[in-house]
Amino acid sequence: SLVFSDTVTMIENDANLQSVVYLVDDDLEVRTAVRQLLSSVSLVVEEFESAVDFLAAHDPSHGGCLVVDLLMPGMNGLELQHELIQRGCRLPIVLMTGHADVETAVKAVKAGAFDFIEKPVPPQRLLEVVQNALSEESARRKKHGQSNEIRSRIATLSPREKNVMQLLIDGQSTKQVALSLGIGPSTVDHHRKNLLRKMNVDSLILLARLVERLDEFSTEEDG
């Protein structure tokens, strides 16, 4: 084949990875070969002839990864990457590029692309890169879901309960919290009981870990 540079070595597909691989390339031969390769390990592939077609059809709520040719008529792979970043899309992007485009591909990786593969495309490397991209995306989406769950629990707290929670997490005792907020210790205990129930934890230690995890998720998302 003119597309693949060596013999396909099959690797076992992770049964948990059922996200879609979005394939964008104006070359029908490349799309056909890549689709056949990825489908051979039970990956779901959606093909697009252009970046514009992909953008028109893509649902940001769907997970997966994007395999895109760097040089295409109209919007190229680098421009597509930039557009997705502008839209806040965190889909992992794998660029396919000719030897002369490697320097540009490296710049794309520095700008946030997951990886790049030189043409002719080595089948084993493509499989491994795509699987790694899907694994990373799956983990990110799982963390995102956990983050949203923690935020939704915090949203059920009253303003007073949020104040009590923050002071308790900061290490203040019941008496210190009572003095800080100008309320009685028994009222602090009442708020403490309610917020633990709403946050679905049974101790302040677990509550602190939950909030710390949310902070970690937020830092990763900002990065």
Side-chain angles (χ1 to χ4, degrees):
S1 170
L2 297 176
V3 178
F4 297 125
S5 58
D6 60 292
T7 305
V8 175
T9 302
M10 298 294 290
I11 62 173
E12 184 177 357
N13 181 43
D14 186 337
N16 293 324
L17 299 178
Q18 296 300 321
S19 299
V20 176
V21 178
Y22 302 100
L23 173 60
V24 184
D25 198 306
D26 61 303
D27 188 322
L28 177 60
E29 180 187 7
V30 172
R31 293 203 311 273
T32 300
V34 172
R35 173 177 48 78
Q36 290 176 345
L37 173 68
L38 297 179
S39 297
S40 72
V41 290
S42 302
L43 291 174
V44 179
V45 181
E46 290 187 10
E47 298 179 47
F48 301 91
E49 187 176 359
S50 72
V52 173
D53 290 344
F54 166 74
L55 289 173
H58 179 56
D59 184 344
S61 67
H62 293 174
C65 76
L66 173 64
V67 178
V68 57
D69 187 30
L70 182 60
L71 295 181
M72 296 184 293
M75 181 182 290
N76 62 35
L78 203 57
E79 291 168 337
L80 175 57
Q81 176 189 3
H82 178 73
E83 177 63 25
L84 290 174
I85 291 174
Q86 291 295 108
R87 296 186 181 192
C89 177
R90 301 175 67 88
L91 205 65
I93 300 174
V94 178
L95 292 164
M96 295 186 296
T97 174
H99 178 72
D101 311 315
V102 171
E103 182 178 351
T104 304
V106 170
K107 291 179 181 178
V109 170
K110 291 181 179 179
F114 184 81
D115 207 338
F116 73 91
I117 300 174
E118 291 185 56
K119 293 181 179 180
V121 181
Q124 179 67 23
R125 171 158 166 71
L126 178 60
L127 288 171
E128 290 175 351
V129 168
V130 168
Q131 294 279 20
N132 288 339
L134 289 173
S135 295
E136 183 174 289
E137 167 68 357
S138 177
R140 186 195 66 79
R141 291 176 68 84
K142 181 178 180 181
K143 287 183 178 180
H144 183 68
Q146 292 173 342
S147 174
N148 286 341
E149 172 63 23
I150 296 172
R151 288 190 176 99
S152 68
R153 294 181 192 178
I154 291 177
T156 66
L157 302 180
S158 69
R160 178 66 81 188
E161 287 167 346
K162 291 178 182 178
N163 291 337
V164 170
M165 179 180 71
Q166 188 58 58
L167 293 174
L168 289 173
I169 289 176
D170 288 343
Q172 291 193 22
S173 66
T174 297
K175 289 183 179 180
Q176 289 173 323
V177 173
L179 287 173
S180 297
L181 299 179
I183 57 179
S186 60
T187 303
V188 174
D189 286 336
H190 175 72
H191 287 313
R192 175 181 177 276
K193 180 179 179 180
N194 282 343
L195 70 90
L196 288 177
R197 174 179 56 80
K198 291 180 179 180
M199 293 299 293
N200 196 28
V201 292
D202 55 16
S203 72
L204 288 176
I205 292 177
L206 292 178
L207 177 63
R209 288 177 180 172
L210 205 62
V211 174
E212 181 181 4
R213 185 178 302 172
L214 179 60
D215 290 340
E216 291 174 354
F217 292 160
S218 299
T219 299
E220 291 177 4
E221 290 172 357
D222 291 340

mmCIF file of all heavy atoms in Angstrom, residues 23-61:
data_model
loop_
_atom_site.group_PDB
_atom_site.id
_atom_site.type_symbol
_atom_site.label_atom_id
_atom_site.label_comp_id
_atom_site.label_asym_id
_atom_site.label_seq_id
_atom_site.Cartn_x
_atom_site.Cartn_y
_atom_site.Cartn_z
ATOM 1 N N LEU A 23 -11.934 11.110 11.484
ATOM 2 C CA LEU A 23 -10.867 11.086 10.484
ATOM 3 C C LEU A 23 -11.137 12.158 9.431
ATOM 4 O O LEU A 23 -12.164 12.121 8.748
ATOM 5 C CB LEU A 23 -10.802 9.705 9.837
ATOM 6 C CG LEU A 23 -9.853 9.514 8.657
ATOM 7 C CD1 LEU A 23 -8.415 9.792 9.061
ATOM 8 C CD2 LEU A 23 -9.994 8.102 8.097
ATOM 9 N N VAL A 24 -10.227 13.129 9.329
ATOM 10 C CA VAL A 24 -10.401 14.228 8.380
ATOM 11 C C VAL A 24 -9.217 14.248 7.411
ATOM 12 O O VAL A 24 -8.081 14.514 7.809
ATOM 13 C CB VAL A 24 -10.501 15.587 9.111
ATOM 14 C CG1 VAL A 24 -10.771 16.701 8.090
ATOM 15 C CG2 VAL A 24 -11.590 15.556 10.173
ATOM 16 N N ASP A 25 -9.481 13.946 6.142
ATOM 17 C CA ASP A 25 -8.433 13.945 5.118
ATOM 18 C C ASP A 25 -9.102 14.057 3.764
ATOM 19 O O ASP A 25 -10.109 13.388 3.506
ATOM 20 C CB ASP A 25 -7.604 12.654 5.207
ATOM 21 C CG ASP A 25 -6.269 12.772 4.491
ATOM 22 O OD1 ASP A 25 -6.270 13.136 3.295
ATOM 23 O OD2 ASP A 25 -5.234 12.482 5.113
ATOM 24 N N ASP A 26 -8.565 14.889 2.887
ATOM 25 C CA ASP A 26 -9.167 15.067 1.568
ATOM 26 C C ASP A 26 -8.811 13.936 0.618
ATOM 27 O O ASP A 26 -9.377 13.836 -0.476
ATOM 28 C CB ASP A 26 -8.726 16.401 0.959
ATOM 29 C CG ASP A 26 -7.223 16.481 0.756
ATOM 30 O OD1 ASP A 26 -6.474 16.309 1.744
ATOM 31 O OD2 ASP A 26 -6.780 16.704 -0.383
ATOM 32 N N ASP A 27 -7.871 13.054 1.027
ATOM 33 C CA ASP A 27 -7.428 11.941 0.185
ATOM 34 C C ASP A 27 -8.270 10.701 0.502
ATOM 35 O O ASP A 27 -8.190 10.148 1.608
ATOM 36 C CB ASP A 27 -5.943 11.658 0.444
ATOM 37 C CG ASP A 27 -5.365 10.648 -0.542
ATOM 38 O OD1 ASP A 27 -6.073 9.681 -0.892
ATOM 39 O OD2 ASP A 27 -4.207 10.817 -0.935
ATOM 40 N N LEU A 28 -9.083 10.261 -0.456
ATOM 41 C CA LEU A 28 -9.972 9.116 -0.246
ATOM 42 C C LEU A 28 -9.191 7.847 0.067
ATOM 43 O O LEU A 28 -9.596 7.044 0.915
ATOM 44 C CB LEU A 28 -10.846 8.896 -1.485
ATOM 45 C CG LEU A 28 -11.777 7.679 -1.440
ATOM 46 C CD1 LEU A 28 -12.747 7.766 -0.272
ATOM 47 C CD2 LEU A 28 -12.544 7.560 -2.772
ATOM 48 N N GLU A 29 -8.048 7.657 -0.601
ATOM 49 C CA GLU A 29 -7.245 6.446 -0.359
ATOM 50 C C GLU A 29 -6.760 6.409 1.091
ATOM 51 O O GLU A 29 -6.801 5.365 1.740
ATOM 52 C CB GLU A 29 -6.046 6.403 -1.307
ATOM 53 C CG GLU A 29 -5.183 5.151 -1.091
ATOM 54 C CD GLU A 29 -3.900 5.175 -1.907
ATOM 55 O OE1 GLU A 29 -3.610 6.202 -2.535
ATOM 56 O OE2 GLU A 29 -3.185 4.157 -1.890
ATOM 57 N N VAL A 30 -6.305 7.534 1.587
ATOM 58 C CA VAL A 30 -5.847 7.594 2.974
ATOM 59 C C VAL A 30 -6.996 7.315 3.931
ATOM 60 O O VAL A 30 -6.866 6.519 4.868
ATOM 61 C CB VAL A 30 -5.229 8.972 3.285
ATOM 62 C CG1 VAL A 30 -4.926 9.090 4.778
ATOM 63 C CG2 VAL A 30 -3.960 9.182 2.476
ATOM 64 N N ARG A 31 -8.139 7.932 3.693
ATOM 65 C CA ARG A 31 -9.285 7.726 4.571
ATOM 66 C C ARG A 31 -9.700 6.261 4.600
ATOM 67 O O ARG A 31 -9.969 5.702 5.657
ATOM 68 C CB ARG A 31 -10.470 8.593 4.137
ATOM 69 C CG ARG A 31 -10.260 10.085 4.297
ATOM 70 C CD ARG A 31 -11.594 10.825 4.386
ATOM 71 N NE ARG A 31 -12.528 10.458 3.333
ATOM 72 C CZ ARG A 31 -12.571 11.035 2.125
ATOM 73 N NH1 ARG A 31 -11.694 11.992 1.820
ATOM 74 N NH2 ARG A 31 -13.471 10.666 1.226
ATOM 75 N N THR A 32 -9.725 5.647 3.431
ATOM 76 C CA THR A 32 -10.144 4.243 3.339
ATOM 77 C C THR A 32 -9.186 3.336 4.100
ATOM 78 O O THR A 32 -9.602 2.467 4.877
ATOM 79 C CB THR A 32 -10.225 3.791 1.871
ATOM 80 O OG1 THR A 32 -11.177 4.600 1.183
ATOM 81 C CG2 THR A 32 -10.642 2.335 1.783
ATOM 82 N N ALA A 33 -7.878 3.545 3.896
ATOM 83 C CA ALA A 33 -6.878 2.699 4.543
ATOM 84 C C ALA A 33 -6.890 2.877 6.053
ATOM 85 O O ALA A 33 -6.821 1.900 6.810
ATOM 86 C CB ALA A 33 -5.495 3.012 3.981
ATOM 87 N N VAL A 34 -6.966 4.134 6.499
ATOM 88 C CA VAL A 34 -6.967 4.396 7.938
ATOM 89 C C VAL A 34 -8.243 3.855 8.574
ATOM 90 O O VAL A 34 -8.209 3.259 9.657
ATOM 91 C CB VAL A 34 -6.827 5.908 8.219
ATOM 92 C CG1 VAL A 34 -7.024 6.191 9.716
ATOM 93 C CG2 VAL A 34 -5.448 6.399 7.777
ATOM 94 N N ARG A 35 -9.378 4.042 7.913
ATOM 95 C CA ARG A 35 -10.638 3.527 8.454
ATOM 96 C C ARG A 35 -10.592 2.006 8.582
ATOM 97 O O ARG A 35 -11.016 1.456 9.593
ATOM 98 C CB ARG A 35 -11.811 3.935 7.564
ATOM 99 C CG ARG A 35 -13.138 3.284 7.974
ATOM 100 C CD ARG A 35 -14.286 3.758 7.114
ATOM 101 N NE ARG A 35 -13.991 3.714 5.699
ATOM 102 C CZ ARG A 35 -14.001 2.598 4.953
ATOM 103 N NH1 ARG A 35 -14.261 1.430 5.523
ATOM 104 N NH2 ARG A 35 -13.737 2.661 3.669
ATOM 105 N N GLN A 36 -10.079 1.339 7.566
ATOM 106 C CA GLN A 36 -9.995 -0.120 7.609
ATOM 107 C C GLN A 36 -9.089 -0.585 8.749
ATOM 108 O O GLN A 36 -9.400 -1.556 9.449
ATOM 109 C CB GLN A 36 -9.500 -0.661 6.270
ATOM 110 C CG GLN A 36 -10.511 -0.521 5.141
ATOM 111 C CD GLN A 36 -9.966 -0.973 3.800
ATOM 112 O OE1 GLN A 36 -8.749 -1.151 3.618
ATOM 113 N NE2 GLN A 36 -10.852 -1.157 2.822
ATOM 114 N N LEU A 37 -7.984 0.122 8.942
ATOM 115 C CA LEU A 37 -7.060 -0.239 10.017
ATOM 116 C C LEU A 37 -7.718 -0.072 11.383
ATOM 117 O O LEU A 37 -7.692 -0.990 12.210
ATOM 118 C CB LEU A 37 -5.802 0.623 9.947
ATOM 119 C CG LEU A 37 -4.811 0.457 11.114
ATOM 120 C CD1 LEU A 37 -4.168 -0.917 11.069
ATOM 121 C CD2 LEU A 37 -3.757 1.548 11.095
ATOM 122 N N LEU A 38 -8.319 1.063 11.620
ATOM 123 C CA LEU A 38 -8.917 1.331 12.929
ATOM 124 C C LEU A 38 -10.146 0.455 13.167
ATOM 125 O O LEU A 38 -10.388 -0.007 14.296
ATOM 126 C CB LEU A 38 -9.287 2.811 13.037
ATOM 127 C CG LEU A 38 -8.125 3.799 12.954
ATOM 128 C CD1 LEU A 38 -8.621 5.239 13.041
ATOM 129 C CD2 LEU A 38 -7.099 3.533 14.056
ATOM 130 N N SER A 39 -10.890 0.208 12.115
ATOM 131 C CA SER A 39 -12.061 -0.662 12.253
ATOM 132 C C SER A 39 -11.659 -2.095 12.559
ATOM 133 O O SER A 39 -12.419 -2.845 13.179
ATOM 134 C CB SER A 39 -12.901 -0.627 10.965
ATOM 135 O OG SER A 39 -13.408 0.669 10.711
ATOM 136 N N SER A 40 -10.450 -2.476 12.147
ATOM 137 C CA SER A 40 -9.985 -3.846 12.380
ATOM 138 C C SER A 40 -9.776 -4.131 13.858
ATOM 139 O O SER A 40 -9.696 -5.292 14.269
ATOM 140 C CB SER A 40 -8.684 -4.110 11.611
ATOM 141 O OG SER A 40 -7.588 -3.425 12.206
ATOM 142 N N VAL A 41 -9.681 -3.083 14.683
ATOM 143 C CA VAL A 41 -9.576 -3.281 16.139
ATOM 144 C C VAL A 41 -10.834 -2.738 16.815
ATOM 145 O O VAL A 41 -10.821 -2.299 17.955
ATOM 146 C CB VAL A 41 -8.307 -2.614 16.720
ATOM 147 C CG1 VAL A 41 -7.069 -3.354 16.267
ATOM 148 C CG2 VAL A 41 -8.230 -1.131 16.356
ATOM 149 N N SER A 42 -11.933 -2.747 16.051
ATOM 150 C CA SER A 42 -13.276 -2.433 16.558
ATOM 151 C C SER A 42 -13.457 -0.983 17.004
ATOM 152 O O SER A 42 -14.298 -0.698 17.864
ATOM 153 C CB SER A 42 -13.643 -3.379 17.722
ATOM 154 O OG SER A 42 -13.590 -4.725 17.309
ATOM 155 N N LEU A 43 -12.667 -0.091 16.443
ATOM 156 C CA LEU A 43 -12.871 1.327 16.731
ATOM 157 C C LEU A 43 -13.906 1.898 15.767
ATOM 158 O O LEU A 43 -13.938 1.534 14.599
ATOM 159 C CB LEU A 43 -11.558 2.102 16.598
ATOM 160 C CG LEU A 43 -10.495 1.807 17.659
ATOM 161 C CD1 LEU A 43 -9.193 2.530 17.329
ATOM 162 C CD2 LEU A 43 -10.986 2.215 19.038
ATOM 163 N N VAL A 44 -14.729 2.782 16.261
ATOM 164 C CA VAL A 44 -15.745 3.440 15.440
ATOM 165 C C VAL A 44 -15.110 4.651 14.764
ATOM 166 O O VAL A 44 -14.514 5.499 15.427
ATOM 167 C CB VAL A 44 -16.942 3.885 16.302
ATOM 168 C CG1 VAL A 44 -17.975 4.596 15.439
ATOM 169 C CG2 VAL A 44 -17.558 2.686 17.011
ATOM 170 N N VAL A 45 -15.236 4.732 13.449
ATOM 171 C CA VAL A 45 -14.595 5.797 12.681
ATOM 172 C C VAL A 45 -15.649 6.586 11.906
ATOM 173 O O VAL A 45 -16.524 6.010 11.258
ATOM 174 C CB VAL A 45 -13.560 5.226 11.686
ATOM 175 C CG1 VAL A 45 -12.882 6.356 10.912
ATOM 176 C CG2 VAL A 45 -12.526 4.387 12.426
ATOM 177 N N GLU A 46 -15.546 7.906 11.983
ATOM 178 C CA GLU A 46 -16.380 8.784 11.159
ATOM 179 C C GLU A 46 -15.449 9.582 10.249
ATOM 180 O O GLU A 46 -14.516 10.226 10.720
ATOM 181 C CB GLU A 46 -17.214 9.730 12.027
ATOM 182 C CG GLU A 46 -18.318 9.025 12.805
ATOM 183 C CD GLU A 46 -19.227 10.007 13.518
ATOM 184 O OE1 GLU A 46 -19.121 11.227 13.256
ATOM 185 O OE2 GLU A 46 -20.039 9.563 14.353
ATOM 186 N N GLU A 47 -15.706 9.521 8.940
ATOM 187 C CA GLU A 47 -14.831 10.156 7.947
ATOM 188 C C GLU A 47 -15.368 11.513 7.493
ATOM 189 O O GLU A 47 -16.581 11.697 7.355
ATOM 190 C CB GLU A 47 -14.698 9.266 6.712
ATOM 191 C CG GLU A 47 -14.068 7.924 6.945
ATOM 192 C CD GLU A 47 -14.022 7.119 5.651
ATOM 193 O OE1 GLU A 47 -13.605 7.688 4.613
ATOM 194 O OE2 GLU A 47 -14.417 5.940 5.669
ATOM 195 N N PHE A 48 -14.429 12.432 7.233
ATOM 196 C CA PHE A 48 -14.782 13.741 6.690
ATOM 197 C C PHE A 48 -13.741 14.138 5.642
ATOM 198 O O PHE A 48 -12.548 13.951 5.852
ATOM 199 C CB PHE A 48 -14.842 14.793 7.796
ATOM 200 C CG PHE A 48 -15.841 14.474 8.875
ATOM 201 C CD1 PHE A 48 -15.451 13.749 9.995
ATOM 202 C CD2 PHE A 48 -17.168 14.870 8.747
ATOM 203 C CE1 PHE A 48 -16.368 13.430 10.980
ATOM 204 C CE2 PHE A 48 -18.093 14.556 9.729
ATOM 205 C CZ PHE A 48 -17.702 13.832 10.857
ATOM 206 N N GLU A 49 -14.220 14.703 4.542
ATOM 207 C CA GLU A 49 -13.327 15.085 3.459
ATOM 208 C C GLU A 49 -12.648 16.417 3.726
ATOM 209 O O GLU A 49 -11.602 16.715 3.160
ATOM 210 C CB GLU A 49 -14.109 15.148 2.139
ATOM 211 C CG GLU A 49 -13.246 15.367 0.907
ATOM 212 C CD GLU A 49 -14.053 15.325 -0.374
ATOM 213 O OE1 GLU A 49 -15.281 15.096 -0.301
ATOM 214 O OE2 GLU A 49 -13.459 15.516 -1.463
ATOM 215 N N SER A 50 -13.239 17.223 4.602
ATOM 216 C CA SER A 50 -12.669 18.538 4.876
ATOM 217 C C SER A 50 -12.893 18.931 6.325
ATOM 218 O O SER A 50 -13.769 18.384 7.014
ATOM 219 C CB SER A 50 -13.297 19.595 3.964
ATOM 220 O OG SER A 50 -14.640 19.853 4.352
ATOM 221 N N ALA A 51 -12.103 19.907 6.783
ATOM 222 C CA ALA A 51 -12.243 20.412 8.137
ATOM 223 C C ALA A 51 -13.603 21.078 8.330
ATOM 224 O O ALA A 51 -14.230 20.953 9.388
ATOM 225 C CB ALA A 51 -11.124 21.409 8.435
ATOM 226 N N VAL A 52 -14.062 21.767 7.294
ATOM 227 C CA VAL A 52 -15.360 22.446 7.367
ATOM 228 C C VAL A 52 -16.484 21.431 7.566
ATOM 229 O O VAL A 52 -17.414 21.657 8.357
ATOM 230 C CB VAL A 52 -15.608 23.281 6.093
ATOM 231 C CG1 VAL A 52 -17.022 23.840 6.079
ATOM 232 C CG2 VAL A 52 -14.591 24.413 5.991
ATOM 233 N N ASP A 53 -16.419 20.307 6.848
ATOM 234 C CA ASP A 53 -17.429 19.254 7.000
ATOM 235 C C ASP A 53 -17.430 18.712 8.429
ATOM 236 O O ASP A 53 -18.495 18.463 9.017
ATOM 237 C CB ASP A 53 -17.165 18.109 6.018
ATOM 238 C CG ASP A 53 -17.446 18.507 4.581
ATOM 239 O OD1 ASP A 53 -18.125 19.530 4.376
ATOM 240 O OD2 ASP A 53 -16.978 17.786 3.677
ATOM 241 N N PHE A 54 -16.237 18.520 8.977
ATOM 242 C CA PHE A 54 -16.139 18.015 10.344
ATOM 243 C C PHE A 54 -16.752 18.995 11.334
ATOM 244 O O PHE A 54 -17.540 18.609 12.206
ATOM 245 C CB PHE A 54 -14.676 17.743 10.710
ATOM 246 C CG PHE A 54 -14.461 17.534 12.183
ATOM 247 C CD1 PHE A 54 -14.849 16.353 12.801
ATOM 248 C CD2 PHE A 54 -13.888 18.529 12.967
ATOM 249 C CE1 PHE A 54 -14.680 16.165 14.167
ATOM 250 C CE2 PHE A 54 -13.707 18.355 14.329
ATOM 251 C CZ PHE A 54 -14.111 17.176 14.927
ATOM 252 N N LEU A 55 -16.404 20.262 11.224
ATOM 253 C CA LEU A 55 -16.907 21.270 12.154
ATOM 254 C C LEU A 55 -18.425 21.377 12.086
ATOM 255 O O LEU A 55 -19.092 21.590 13.099
ATOM 256 C CB LEU A 55 -16.278 22.630 11.854
ATOM 257 C CG LEU A 55 -14.792 22.781 12.207
ATOM 258 C CD1 LEU A 55 -14.263 24.110 11.690
ATOM 259 C CD2 LEU A 55 -14.576 22.673 13.714
ATOM 260 N N ALA A 56 -18.978 21.196 10.901
ATOM 261 C CA ALA A 56 -20.421 21.298 10.726
ATOM 262 C C ALA A 56 -21.151 20.131 11.376
ATOM 263 O O ALA A 56 -22.293 20.278 11.842
ATOM 264 C CB ALA A 56 -20.767 21.366 9.243
ATOM 265 N N ALA A 57 -20.484 18.973 11.430
ATOM 266 C CA ALA A 57 -21.150 17.767 11.920
ATOM 267 C C ALA A 57 -20.817 17.412 13.368
ATOM 268 O O ALA A 57 -21.575 16.690 14.027
ATOM 269 C CB ALA A 57 -20.789 16.585 11.018
ATOM 270 N N HIS A 58 -19.701 17.918 13.887
ATOM 271 C CA HIS A 58 -19.218 17.463 15.195
ATOM 272 C C HIS A 58 -20.070 17.958 16.358
ATOM 273 O O HIS A 58 -20.422 19.132 16.428
ATOM 274 C CB HIS A 58 -17.776 17.910 15.404
ATOM 275 C CG HIS A 58 -17.212 17.492 16.737
ATOM 276 N ND1 HIS A 58 -17.181 16.180 17.151
ATOM 277 C CD2 HIS A 58 -16.667 18.227 17.749
ATOM 278 C CE1 HIS A 58 -16.642 16.121 18.345
ATOM 279 N NE2 HIS A 58 -16.336 17.338 18.729
ATOM 280 N N ASP A 59 -20.377 17.044 17.252
ATOM 281 C CA ASP A 59 -21.080 17.361 18.500
ATOM 282 C C ASP A 59 -20.043 17.393 19.621
ATOM 283 O O ASP A 59 -19.485 16.353 19.973
ATOM 284 C CB ASP A 59 -22.136 16.296 18.790
ATOM 285 C CG ASP A 59 -22.964 16.611 20.028
ATOM 286 O OD1 ASP A 59 -22.543 17.470 20.830
ATOM 287 O OD2 ASP A 59 -24.028 15.986 20.206
ATOM 288 N N PRO A 60 -19.761 18.567 20.202
ATOM 289 C CA PRO A 60 -18.718 18.688 21.236
ATOM 290 C C PRO A 60 -18.953 17.817 22.468
ATOM 291 O O PRO A 60 -18.020 17.539 23.209
ATOM 292 C CB PRO A 60 -18.771 20.180 21.613
ATOM 293 C CG PRO A 60 -19.392 20.848 20.427
ATOM 294 C CD PRO A 60 -20.377 19.863 19.889
ATOM 295 N N SER A 61 -20.196 17.376 22.662
ATOM 296 C CA SER A 61 -20.483 16.550 23.835
ATOM 297 C C SER A 61 -20.022 15.108 23.655
ATOM 298 O O SER A 61 -19.979 14.342 24.610
ATOM 299 C CB SER A 61 -21.986 16.574 24.137
ATOM 300 O OG SER A 61 -22.728 15.919 23.109
#
